[in-house]
Amino acid sequence: MARFSVDSNMVSAQAVMPVDAMSTGLSGVQNLMNGPLNFPEQYTKHTIAIDRDGVLCECRDIIKSPEHFQPIGTAMRAVAIMRSLGHRIAILFDQPMISRRHITIPEVEAMNQHMLNLLGAAGCTSIDGIFYSTSTKKRDPYAKPNTGLFTHAEGVLPGVKVRGGMYVGDSIEDLIMANKH
């Protein structure tokens, strides 16, 4: 079973001002990492799909509350930079602990909202969507390493195409899923 959640009204906590994203050298990287970002009116570059746990946040145990959601280094800012460069962004991850009754959908949704707030604080004005699987069944088309999350995101979000884009994950299942798609 797949779930979808996104806050379409997410607004950045930082001022949006022009930055020359094509700058080269260390000063250009410093500007992107620390300065305000300029966001395009349309996101026309390829999709970057990103796993959540282990890529955007630490994954040492079950993350059940915003207090336990610890972002990894500058991961949130990296998403903001990718978005400012015109990429579509979709967060695709699995939450099998829901079907095992170790975490609830409202708890996962609270974590997703917290993640969106962290993205906003890092300068990211929006993302295209968040999808997650709640299943532990290998035959479930949405459970990793099956490609249902990719296919569903592509079918629901206009312009989002994972094929031809990138998927950032942290496990062999992520690699298998991306390779299958």
Side-chain angles (χ1 to χ4, degrees):
M1 173 183 185
R3 299 274 307 175
F4 172 69
S5 67
V6 70
D7 181 354
S8 61
N9 296 315
M10 187 177 120
V11 176
S12 173
Q14 295 184 0
V16 178
M17 295 169 44
V19 169
D20 180 13
M22 295 304 178
S23 296
T24 58
L26 186 56
S27 64
V29 173
Q30 292 286 359
N31 282 342
L32 288 174
M33 287 306 295
N34 301 315
L37 300 171
N38 182 34
F39 291 86
E41 289 184 24
Q42 294 184 339
Y43 299 94
T44 58
K45 292 188 179 176
H46 63 268
T47 300
I48 300 175
I50 306 168
D51 185 24
R52 190 189 77 176
D53 301 344
V55 175
L56 296 177
C57 67
E58 298 288 343
C59 187
R60 295 186 187 111
D61 200 0
I62 301 170
I63 305 167
K64 293 185 81 164
S65 67
E67 299 82 45
H68 294 108
F69 189 103
Q70 298 298 317
I72 295 175
T74 57
M76 300 300 169
R77 184 61 175 183
V79 173
I81 291 167
M82 290 183 280
R83 189 67 166 167
S84 75
L85 295 174
H87 293 282
R88 298 176 192 283
I89 302 290
I91 311 293
L92 307 172
F93 61 100
D94 57 347
Q95 285 294 291
M97 292 302 178
I98 292 173
S99 63
R100 293 183 184 135
R101 299 176 193 237
H102 294 288
I103 190 169
T104 66
I105 288 173
E107 288 171 324
V108 173
E109 291 295 327
M111 251 43 65
N112 289 342
Q113 186 59 56
H114 181 65
M115 176 182 62
L116 289 172
N117 293 340
L118 291 171
L119 285 167
C124 186
T125 58
S126 67
I127 62 172
D128 292 287
I130 301 172
F131 295 87
Y132 57 94
S133 168
T134 63
S135 179
T136 58
K137 298 177 182 172
K138 290 183 181 181
R139 290 186 290 178
D140 186 318
Y142 300 107
K144 289 181 182 180
N146 299 323
T147 61
L149 285 174
F150 289 157
T151 305
H152 188 67
E154 290 173 338
V156 173
L157 299 173
V160 167
K161 298 291 177 222
V162 180
R163 183 176 305 237
M166 296 178 208
Y167 182 65
V168 182
D170 69 327
S171 71
I172 192 70
E173 283 183 327
D174 293 328
L175 179 64
I176 292 168
M177 182 173 68
N179 193 43
K180 281 181 173 181
H181 193 70

